[in-house]
Amino acid sequence: GGIYCFWENLQPYMPFYIMNERKSTMKKIAIFNHKGGVSKTTTSFNLGWSLSKQGKKVLLVDADSQCNLTMYALGADKFEAHYIENPNDNIYSALIPAFKSQPRLIQPVTCPQITDGLYLLPGHLDFTENEVQLGISMQLSSAFGSMENLPGALNYLVEEAGKKYNIDYAIFDMNPSLSAINQDIFVCSDYFIIPSSPDLFSLMSIDSLCRVLATWETWAQKARPLFQNATYPLPTTTPKFLGYTINDFNLSHGRPQFTFKSFMVQISEKVVNLLYPKLQGLQMTLTEEKYLTAYTKMRDSAQNHHIDYPDPYCLAQISNFNKLIALSNKQSIPIFEVVLDPQMVQEGQSRTLAWFKFLYEALAVRVLELTSDE
């Protein structure tokens, strides 16, 4: 009882301090689709790296308890060493003050630097332990005591890390589920990208996302006032749709094979005719002019590269990486930075790497254009 008493006595003095101290220009992007195998982690890492090469400071947030992004970014050796040498510098340990009702504020952890301008908030296997508590707190029409601090806790942690490292963009790699954790991350984000693959289940996921994302934002509109006096309040911004990507398909003569192309067309039609109007009705989109302008600029700058996406919401079409993904993971660098064996390298491989580099650079520039405040 003493801890709760101290915490509740401390709370009235905290919201004013926090609301006036945690102003940030950092932009948070959720990479989300509840379908697995659509390259969420690969997109997060490669996009984050590309944004850092555009002169932005980026924080990768591993919000998936499988920790694939952490392994990708650190590599096997550094991955193990990090958890041994820095057991508290991860997303789970950092949130203990909120989820264990400890009378202390959440503090930003030390985030490993991956490359110039690119940092990582490591994941943790036990992160999903927070799922039940968070889900209960989000179901309450009027949260009580320390429970009201749970929905805004992760957002506060990321904001504090953003201030510590002067971050411009935070990118959330999320698990493939409709969990309370994912809902919380989504409604606390400024923007979101939907990765997909050209198959039946990705096509079906668009139908599902139309319902789910609308439900999540409807909940957030009601919840934001309820949690406004919490120590860790929910942000008041509505997440905006940046677009979708198509990943992991085979090429034939430089173009998507027929079966994959058919699904690409169907996914585009679903996004244009179903998803976008649904999101637009909830103020979860940018202006149509902004989408079209960003797409046109990317296409015009492509020069000799063939870019002909089916709609202005398609951010990138990235074919499968074949053997390059294993090298990328082994070397803990993006696909386009993979170092090939000089004795094994072929001209076609060099062209492939250059193509992937162009695609991710174009994606990063387009994200910058879409998220600009002008």
Side-chain angles (χ1 to χ4, degrees), residues 52-282:
S52 72
K53 294 304 178 184
Q54 295 294 322
K56 301 299 180 182
K57 286 193 173 183
V58 181
L59 178 66
L60 300 174
V61 181
D62 192 347
D64 186 348
S65 61
Q66 295 184 55
C67 302
N68 289 328
L69 179 59
T70 304
M71 175 68 83
Y72 195 174
L74 294 180
D77 293 338
K78 291 182 179 179
F79 178 88
E80 183 176 359
H82 176 80
Y83 290 99
I84 294 173
E85 299 169 7
N86 309 284
N88 296 319
D89 289 337
N90 59 75
I91 195 169
Y92 171 76
S93 299
L95 292 172
I96 284 178
F99 283 88
K100 302 297 184 184
S101 299
Q102 295 180 352
R104 59 189 176 95
L105 276 175
I106 289 171
Q107 298 295 321
V109 301
T110 298
C111 296
Q113 185 169 357
I114 308 305
T115 188
D116 289 343
L118 183 65
Y119 299 84
L120 171 72
L121 176 53
H124 197 281
L125 177 66
D126 296 335
F127 184 47
T128 52
E129 287 183 9
N130 299 334
E131 185 73 42
V132 174
Q133 280 180 279
L134 182 60
I136 293 173
S137 71
M138 295 171 74
Q139 294 298 319
L140 300 174
S141 59
S142 180
F144 55 89
S146 59
M147 294 291 285
E148 70 176 1
N149 292 309
L150 302 188
L154 177 56
N155 180 70
Y156 179 81
L157 170 63
V158 173
E159 290 281 359
E160 289 298 295
K163 289 190 294 185
K164 180 176 181 178
Y165 294 100
N166 196 28
I167 297 296
D168 299 300
Y169 286 87
I171 297 178
F172 293 89
D173 182 30
M174 302 161 68
N175 69 70
S177 73
L178 298 178
S179 65
I181 288 176
N182 279 348
Q183 179 179 351
D184 186 48
I185 293 170
F186 182 85
V187 300
C188 289
S189 297
D190 301 303
Y191 305 97
F192 62 98
I193 292 172
I194 299 175
S196 66
S197 53
D199 56 42
L200 177 61
F201 290 105
S202 278
L203 185 62
M204 293 169 63
S205 75
I206 302 298
D207 290 303
S208 178
L209 287 172
C210 285
R211 300 187 298 271
V212 171
L213 299 185
T215 299
W216 285 358
E217 175 54 23
T218 300
W219 173 85
Q221 289 175 5
K222 298 176 181 178
R224 288 174 188 129
L226 296 176
F227 293 97
Q228 65 181 346
N229 293 319
T231 303
Y232 312 121
L234 286 173
T236 59
T237 55
T238 296
K240 306 289 186 183
F241 177 56
L242 291 182
Y244 69 98
T245 62
I246 300 282
N247 306 282
D248 196 20
F249 54 88
N250 295 329
L251 296 173
S252 177
H253 304 291
R255 303 291 177 89
Q257 291 180 354
F258 175 78
T259 302
F260 296 112
K261 184 66 176 178
S262 175
F263 278 116
M264 289 178 178
V265 171
Q266 293 179 71
I267 289 173
S268 172
E269 291 174 347
K270 286 269 189 184
V271 170
V272 172
N273 299 320
L274 190 63
L275 180 64
Y276 181 81
K278 185 73 172 182
L279 298 175
Q280 188 179 39
L282 291 164

Side-chain angles (χ1 to χ4, degrees), residues 6-34:
F6 178 80
W7 180 255
E8 289 176 0
N9 288 336
L10 191 64
Q11 277 184 301
Y13 301 98
M14 287 183 174
F16 178 82
Y17 166 80
I18 292 171
M19 291 299 289
N20 285 275
E21 290 295 327
R22 55 191 283 273
K23 294 178 181 178
S24 171
T25 58
M26 179 179 66
K27 295 169 182 176
K28 293 164 290 185
I29 303 175
I31 310 296
F32 176 67
N33 191 334
H34 58 305

Side-chain angles (χ1 to χ4, degrees), residues 357-370:
K357 184 173 184 178
F358 164 77
L359 287 175
Y360 280 111
E361 284 182 350
L363 173 58
V365 171
R366 197 157 162 206
V367 166
L368 293 176
E369 176 79 18
L370 289 168

